Amino acid sequence: AQSVAQPEDQVNVAEGNPLTVKCTYSVSGNPYLFWYVQYPNRGLQFLLKYITGDNLVKGSYGFEAEFNKSQTSFHLKKPSALVSDSALYFCAVRFNGYNTDKLIFGTGTRLQVFP
Amino acid sequence: GAGVSQSPRYKVAKRGQDVALRCDPISGHVSLFWYQQALGQGPEFLTYFQNEAQLDKSGLPSDRFFAERPEGSVSTLKIQRTQQEDSAVYLCASSLKGGQGRTNTEAFFGQGTRLTVV
């Protein structure tokens, strides 16, 4: 079965410092991995995806993620955090087949960036 | 429109009442998805459409939940005889393509409908 795990409920970081939000996955076959961000009372916004190719994926708002096959991880990173990055972050794996297509989400990690 | 649009944004229903939630996907998007997000949780898959065909409804929690997309565009999620456990945010998403072998298109989400059953 496909699944993702986000081991941290909350991550706190000072503005200007690098941030990492962790995600590990369990899939059969090739993993198709996504990061989404959710601001209060808003839907999910797409940040980036890994389908194939380079292990370092660059996305929106200066975020990037590193795909590590041996550690089955897809951690989200940003070199310098902003207060406005404070939000709820979801890692997801895509499962698609003959008669289905779905994202399976982690439980989310709340990122708090302090000024 | 530019994005996925959902209406209403908020809905309060009395227990036992029927509700209908609407989703307008991005124009031209083939795939449409519904998710349920309980408070403090990640979104959970409900159902998937490819054009007007509902290919996967395995996530619908009970036979009180029904979704349709009759013309392959707008979709409606209907919940009959609402219960308190149905209280959640219902998210709709669409993507340009979908299904087997089509993995490189991301899904775009609407702002959701927050349903509160009292």
Side-chain angles (χ1 to χ4, degrees), chain B residues 32-58:
Chain B
L32 185 143
F33 313 83
W34 284 97
Y35 290 83
Q36 180 191 59
Q37 186 176 20
L39 189 64
Q41 301 295 317
E44 297 274 350
F45 171 80
L46 292 177
T47 188
Y48 161 58
F49 288 86
Q50 192 170 97
N51 295 307
E52 69 280 1
Q54 188 177 21
L55 297 186
D56 186 352
K57 54 182 181 179
S58 63

Side-chain angles (χ1 to χ4, degrees), chain A residues 57-79:
Chain A
V57 178
K58 294 190 181 296
S60 307
Y61 313 119
F63 283 92
E64 57 190 28
E66 186 173 7
F67 172 70
N68 188 317
K69 188 173 183 178
S70 62
Q71 297 185 5
T72 62
S73 66
F74 189 57
H75 300 333
L76 181 70
K77 300 182 179 183
K78 188 173 183 181

Side-chain angles (χ1 to χ4, degrees), chain A residues 45-114:
Chain A
Q45 295 180 31
F46 169 77
L47 280 179
L48 49 79
K49 64 187 177 187
Y50 173 82
I51 305 298
T52 186
D54 290 341
N55 290 341
L56 186 63
V57 178
K58 294 190 181 296
S60 307
Y61 313 119
F63 283 92
E64 57 190 28
E66 186 173 7
F67 172 70
N68 188 317
K69 188 173 183 178
S70 62
Q71 297 185 5
T72 62
S73 66
F74 189 57
H75 300 333
L76 181 70
K77 300 182 179 183
K78 188 173 183 181
S80 178
L82 299 173
V83 173
S84 57
D85 292 330
S86 299
L88 192 54
Y89 290 80
F90 290 98
C91 180
V93 61
R94 184 172 185 171
F95 175 66
N96 67 326
Y98 180 67
N99 274 330
T100 192
D101 192 350
K102 64 181 81 170
L103 288 168
I104 300 166
F105 287 88
T107 50
T109 298
R110 185 166 301 282
L111 173 66
Q112 193 75 36
V113 182
F114 295 95

